């Protein structure tokens, strides 16, 4: 028999795909993570490949559809003699067709004709075609197994599931009525205008005049923004900057004049010279583009858009998408728009010019003065991308978008016009066509490189779900500086490791404002020109060190810059300094106010030095800023940080032997906030399992209890109402790993501590309410135990095996197996006792124990698993109460659904399949059960199993079918020995049993049949009684008559 599990390795390694751009591990720690064990766990939890067990949920590949042939039905005028003649004629035809031998194709995919030739012809050597296809014309293995109580369903891989909407935004061009002669810079982000908050980090772009473009270094970037679902309040916030205006030079008002005025050559020359000299920028204009709103006016007082730009119908059927497409092609002024290929070109014609710096909070304030509109057009291309579960980001990185036409000229393109900041119309196209068109190179920009910037979604840090990737950044938002006199003020921001040497260079941790460059030592904000209260809307992104010391801090340097024309570039003058220690302020979500020091002296962070320093504005807190920490390495919860700290001390053996601080930290995890608990769920579970697997007894018990508490909270507090929480299923199925044997197996320690608790409960000791939670989460622990064994089995054997051979089963050590047996016995007792009380938990626990044995059959020596099965049957021996018997049938139903059920050995080396013998015995006992539902369930189990074997592509050889028939043939003998049991069945149950008998007999060879009927004439007569029952219960009689004819031959052979 062909083993489908031998086709490849058991564990599939799934590479992780990062959807963020904000993590770069400290290079000093890259090769030295062992000194920070908790950090090592975090990096492994987020960075290593996902590990999926290919055996866990079973494999089933069936043959093709069975071709049906016209069958002979008994008509009203058909006598018995005619019917026998027709049946004999059909038999002769089938026998003649078998003269040519057909090669076996067992283990390969069967086409319809291949199966018809192989199965329907070769099998006709016995009794023609199988009766099962007619009885079960549409056999669906997945559907049948889904009816099993407590059936495991593979969970969606949420770690790779990039669900929701993805919108790509590309800046095509910027044009002004006065002309484009100086560089412009800008940002685009997702913004919630109702709450006035940013939803994503900024996507930075710049637009250069033709004269300043560097063809070799120019690049086109696409900003990719993620949305969970459409919302009327979600929009794109666009903010533009330009070089700070020269005093006495050409002001930015030239871009907002009402009359059409073009710049003179002198003005153009002055702007070009000044922009090359001036490295600092000032605010210029902003615009808001609602994405999903159809009835809300813009902030600048514009009218509402006549249609919804991106409705939920875009996520639905293609017919709805077509409707949206037609609506989207009508612009605000009623003219027909133009769609370029798969995306929508949006012309933002109402950029709101600003006269001074501003904060994003005040942008939509009703009191905020509306300035003159800019006489220009910003052209964007907005595209709804398909969200793919795995590999979408990698596909984006390797592909480009092909556009037609010249994108540098706005006049040459028809597009959507947005007057008064109207809605951007997004058009949804088929994903297949879009991916096909991502193959070419960009046209319109020569020698340009395309890159995709994945804007980090700030809502990632607020969701109640586990972090799945590494991100470790701090976003700094300087808001305002209140001074007593007007200044041209800007702020330089840098990250320093300590304050001892003020001349020491800062860390290279600042993300640049210029796209495509490396991390820098510092960045600066825009210039607030001539303002007493300087306001800023800059977003400064800081790459944090993986581990920061108490002295890590942000240093802000305030500069005044003279904006007058001189022979050389303006030199800024330092006004003051402000410092912000990370350890004390990084977790704050509210605004922070700081004083500004006049001078920077060594050790400026120390309290004694700060008291002696001179401050601006009499030491008032005149500098206001805001921080946003986005980190999957640094938890906000102090209790989790304490646990990480004590975990490090324990692993490094720097804590006392008794580890009281660690025990206290473990016990305090039960009070962690639910959001933080879910976000750091995966590394915390890994650490607790590590402690359970390698700690002392006291530490094991504490870690086990804490883990039970965490699992119970996750199950109860998450939105998932299933018996197997999706987050926990993902942890077991994908995340849990031994990380290449860098961690010892956890199954010995886990089974020991759990078994100890179970035995204490069995002896009558009070173990608290936690034990009920243990039983509720038993499925999780049992699956972790099996996966830990499987990883060890693969590591021990796989590398030393010749290519193509199976990994042999692992023989558990006697001590470990004895511990598992004791644990299993205690859990069976709980099932037995709780079933009698009618508690629903017992049935789920029973299914968990069945799947535990199911999984072990693929991992350890099968005869060790048979010990557990035997222990189960001893607990549920004979004909039990209905609820207990139902549990037993469910147990067998799950166990016998194993991929290698047919190929299982006997309990003794001389015996055949142990599981099939047990199944037949228990099924026959159930047929005599007083509960009619138990009888029906038992008969149905056998029908489903035989259908699964019959259509299994692995078992299409003649010898395979014969072997299967011999496994089930003892059932026929038991029925013949106890015919009253059969007669007491209902008609439906009789049909199920009879079709089983027909299928078994059909696949037996002549020798086996003759040997069986030679035992006694009485048994042969009883068999004909069964065939008479077939004539009664089945409408198609020719098949049964064919059996009668065949057995007439047997009777003749017996006489001879």
């Amino acid at each position: 028999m062909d083993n489908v599990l031998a086709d490849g390795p058991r564990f599939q390694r799934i590479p992780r795909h990062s959807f963020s751009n904000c993590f770069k591990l400290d290079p000093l720690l890259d090769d030295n993570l062992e000194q920070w064990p908790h950090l090592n766990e975090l990096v492994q939890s987020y960075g290593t490949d996902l590990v999926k067990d290919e055996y866990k949920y079973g494999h089933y590949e069936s043959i093709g559809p069975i071709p049906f042939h016209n069958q002979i039905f008994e008509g009203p005028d058909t006598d018995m003699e005619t019917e026998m003649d027709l049946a004999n004629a059909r038999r002769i035809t089938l026998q003649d067709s078998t003269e040519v031998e057909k090669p076996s194709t067992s283990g390969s995919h069967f086409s319809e004709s291949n199966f018809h030739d192989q199965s329907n012809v070769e099998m006709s050597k016995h009794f023609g075609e199988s009766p099962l296809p007619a009885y079960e014309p549409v056999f669906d293995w997945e559907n049948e197994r889904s009816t099993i109580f407590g059936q495991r369903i593979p969970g969606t891989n949420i770690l790779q599931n990039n669900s929701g909407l993805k919108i790509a935004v590309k800046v095509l061009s910027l044009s002004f009525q006065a002309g484009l002669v100086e560089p412009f810079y800008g940002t685009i982000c997702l913004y919630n205008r109702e709450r006035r908050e940013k939803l994503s980090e900024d996507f930075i772009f710049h637009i250069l005049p033709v004269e300043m473009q560097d063809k070799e270094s120019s690049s086109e970037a696409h900003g990719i923004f993620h949305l969970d679902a459409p919302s009327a309040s979600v929009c794109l916030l666009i903010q533009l900057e330009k070089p700070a205006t020269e005093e006495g030079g050409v002001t930015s008002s030239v871009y907002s004049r009402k009359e059409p005025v073009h710049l003179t050559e002198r003005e153009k020359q002055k702007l070009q010279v000044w922009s090359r000299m001036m490295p600092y920028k000032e605010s210029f204009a902003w615009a808001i583009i609602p994405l999903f709103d159809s009835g809300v006016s813009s902030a600048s007082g514009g009218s509402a858009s006549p249609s919804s730009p991106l409705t939920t119908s875009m996520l639905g059927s293609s017919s709805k998408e077509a409707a949206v497409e037609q609506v989207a092609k009508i612009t605000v002024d009623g003219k027909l728009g133009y769609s370029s290929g798969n995306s929508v070109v949006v012309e933002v014609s109402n950029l709101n010019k600003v006269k001074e710096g501003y904060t994003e909070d005040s942008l939509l304030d009703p009191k905020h003065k509306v300035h003159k509109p800019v006489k220009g057009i910003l052209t964007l291309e907005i595209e709804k991308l398909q969200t793919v579960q795995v590999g979408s980001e990698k596909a984006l990185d390797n592909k480009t978008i092909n556009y037609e036409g010249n994108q540098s000229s706005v006049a040459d393109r028809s597009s959507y016009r947005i007057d008064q900041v109207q809605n951007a119309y997004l058009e949804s196209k088929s994903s297949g066509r879009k991916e096909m068109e991502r193959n070419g190179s960009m046209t319109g920009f020569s020698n340009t490189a395309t890159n995709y910037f994945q804007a980090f979604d700030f809502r990632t840090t607020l969701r109640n779900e586990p972090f799945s990737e590494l991100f470790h950044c701090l976003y700094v938002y300087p808001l305002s500086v209140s001074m007593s006199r007007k200044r041209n003020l800007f702020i330089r921001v840098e990250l320093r490791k300590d304050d001892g040497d003020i001349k020491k260079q800062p860390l290279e941790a600042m993300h640049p404002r210029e796209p495509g460059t490396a991390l820098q030592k510092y960045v600066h904000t825009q210039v607030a020109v001539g303002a007493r209260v300087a306001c800023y809307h800059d977003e400064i992104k800081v790459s944090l060190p993986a581990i920061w010391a108490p002295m890590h801090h942000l240093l802000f340097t305030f500069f005044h810059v003279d904006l007058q024309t001189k022979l050389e570039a303006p030199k800024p003058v330092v006004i003051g300094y402000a410092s912000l220690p990370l350890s004390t302020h990084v977790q704050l979500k509210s605004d922070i106010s700081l004083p500004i020091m006049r001078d920077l002296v060594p050790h400026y962070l120390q309290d004694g030095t700060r008291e002696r320093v001179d401050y601006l504005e009499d030491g008032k807190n005149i500098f206001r800023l805001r921080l946003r920490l986005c980190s999957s390495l640094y938890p906000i919860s102090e209790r989790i940080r304490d646990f990480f700290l004590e975990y490090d001390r324990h692993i490094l053996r720097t804590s006392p032997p008794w580890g009281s601080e660690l025990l206290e930290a473990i016990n305090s995890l039960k009070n962690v906030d639910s959001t933080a608990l879910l976000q750091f769920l995966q590394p915390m579970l890994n650490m607790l399992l590590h402690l359970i697997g390698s700690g002392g007894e006291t530490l094991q018990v504490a870690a086990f209890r804490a883990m039970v508490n965490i699992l119970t909270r996750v199950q109860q507090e998450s939105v998932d109402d299933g018996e197997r929480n999706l987050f926990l299923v993902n942890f077991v199925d994908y995340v849990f790993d031994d990380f290449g044997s860098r961690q010892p197996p956890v199954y010995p320690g886990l089974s020991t501590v759990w078994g100890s608790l179970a035995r204490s409960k069995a002896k009558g000791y009070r173990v608290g309410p936690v034990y009920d939670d243990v039983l509720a989460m038993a499925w999780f622990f049992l699956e972790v135990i099996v996966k830990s064994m499987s990883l060890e089995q693969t590591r021990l054997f796989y590398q030393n095996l010749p290519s193509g051979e199976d990994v042999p089963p692992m023989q558990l050590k006697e001590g470990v197996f004895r511990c598992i047996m004791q644990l299993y016995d205690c859990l069976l007792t709980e099932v037995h006792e709780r079933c009698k009380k009618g508690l629903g938990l017992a049935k789920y626990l029973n299914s968990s124990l069945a799947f535990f044995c199911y999984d072990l059959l693929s991992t350890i020596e099968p005869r060790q698993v048979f010990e557990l099965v035997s222990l189960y049957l001893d607990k549920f021996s004979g004909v039990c109460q209905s609820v207990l018997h139902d549990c037993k049938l469910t147990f067998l139903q799950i166990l016998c659904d194993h991929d290698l059920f047919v190929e299982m050995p006997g309990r003794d080396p001389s015996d055949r399949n142990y599981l099939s013998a047990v199944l037949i015995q228990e099924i026959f006992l159930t047929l005599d059960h007083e509960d009619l539902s138990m009888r029906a369930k038992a008969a149905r189990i056998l029908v489903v199993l035989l259908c699964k074997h019959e259509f299994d592509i692995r078992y299409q050889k003649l010898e395979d079918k014969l072997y299967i028939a011999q496994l089930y043939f003892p059932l026929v003998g038991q029925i013949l020995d106890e015919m009253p049991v059969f007669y007491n069945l209902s008609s439906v149950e009789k049909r199920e049993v009879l079709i089983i008998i027909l299928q078994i007999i059909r696949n037996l060879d002549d020798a086996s049949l003759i040997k069986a009927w030679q035992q006694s004439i009485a048994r042969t007569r009883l068999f004909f009684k069964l065939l008479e029952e077939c004539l009664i219960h089945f409408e198609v009689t020719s098949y049964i008559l064919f059996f009668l004819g065949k057995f007439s031959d047997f009777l003749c052979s017996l006489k001879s």
Side-chain angles (χ1 to χ4, degrees), residues 814-832:
E814 183 179 352
V816 175
F817 182 67
R818 183 172 59 252
C819 182
I820 290 178
M821 281 281 289
Q822 293 172 349
L823 171 62
Y824 197 81
D825 188 22
C826 293
L827 295 178
L828 284 179
T829 302
E830 293 290 338
V831 173
H832 199 273

Side-chain angles (χ1 to χ4, degrees), residues 182 242-255 266-283 488 527 529-530 561-570:
E182 59 180 330
K242 60 179 290 294
T245 303
E246 177 187 9
E247 291 184 10
V250 181
T251 65
S252 59
S253 61
V254 297
Y255 298 110
R266 179 174 175 78
E267 289 176 329
K268 291 182 180 180
Q269 186 177 8
K270 290 188 65 175
L271 283 175
Q272 289 174 356
V273 173
W274 176 255
S275 63
R276 294 181 186 275
M277 295 175 55
M278 173 53 60
Y280 312 112
K281 309 174 187 67
E282 66 178 6
S283 301
N488 302 328
V527 179
V529 180
V561 61
D562 189 358
L563 299 178
Q564 294 181 352
T565 304
K566 296 181 180 179
L567 296 178
E568 56 185 9

Side-chain angles (χ1 to χ4, degrees), residues 2 63-67 69 94 97-130 950 952-962 1002-1003:
D2 295 325
I63 58 178
I66 308 300
H69 300 280
L94 289 173
S97 65
T98 62
E99 294 178 359
V100 179
E101 291 292 333
K102 299 288 184 178
S104 172
T105 55
S106 177
S108 61
H109 291 269
F110 272 69
S111 64
E112 182 175 307
S113 60
N114 186 10
F115 173 76
H116 176 69
D117 293 342
Q118 179 67 22
S119 178
N120 293 347
V121 176
E122 277 202 11
M123 290 301 105
S124 64
K125 290 180 179 180
H126 300 290
F127 300 106
E129 297 178 358
S130 169
E950 178 66 20
D952 194 326
I953 199 167
R954 299 172 298 168
Y955 304 135
Q956 296 305 311
K957 291 181 180 179
L958 180 60
E959 57 267 26
D960 295 341
K961 293 182 178 294
L962 173 60
R1002 179 252 180 183
N1003 288 331

